[in-house]
Amino acid sequence: MMKATIRFISLTFSILCLGSVAFAQIEHGGTPFGRSLPAPTFINLPAPNVEKMRAEDEINDRDKSIPFRFGANISVDINSDDHGTRTLADNGDRIWRVGIRS
């Protein structure tokens, strides 16, 4: 019993020590190029019909076998030819950015 406890403590300590030096990304310093650019063009989406959604939710909430609604689909037609902001970097990289407000 005592050996199992010591092994458990050793394993836990090892995991904690290894976890403290693990990193998810190698850092190279600097600032991402996009941070130095002005804000992109924003597209304002229409507001959803909240009253209609509440009425649907009242009906659907009675059926416990289906998940609760957490969002709504809003159809959009966004493409890089007609929307957003394009930037050409000094090294030739092309960046397309668009902001969406809902």
Side-chain angles (χ1 to χ4, degrees), residues 5-82:
T5 304
I6 292 173
R7 285 185 188 158
F8 176 75
I9 292 171
S10 297
L11 180 63
T12 304
F13 180 73
S14 299
I15 290 172
L16 290 173
C17 288
L18 289 175
S20 67
V21 296
F23 295 97
Q25 181 173 343
I26 298 172
E27 192 172 320
H28 298 286
T31 303
F33 180 70
R35 296 278 179 154
S36 63
L37 299 174
T41 305
F42 275 83
I43 297 170
N44 294 313
L45 299 181
N49 185 339
V50 177
E51 291 305 318
K52 179 182 175 192
M53 291 170 57
R54 283 186 181 149
E56 292 170 356
D57 287 346
E58 283 185 27
I59 295 168
N60 293 335
D61 287 350
R62 294 179 194 142
D63 184 356
K64 301 301 180 194
S65 66
I66 58 175
F68 292 116
R69 183 197 323 245
F70 63 90
N73 291 328
I74 300 174
S75 296
V76 296
D77 183 17
I78 300 172
N79 60 65
S80 61
D81 292 331
D82 301 326

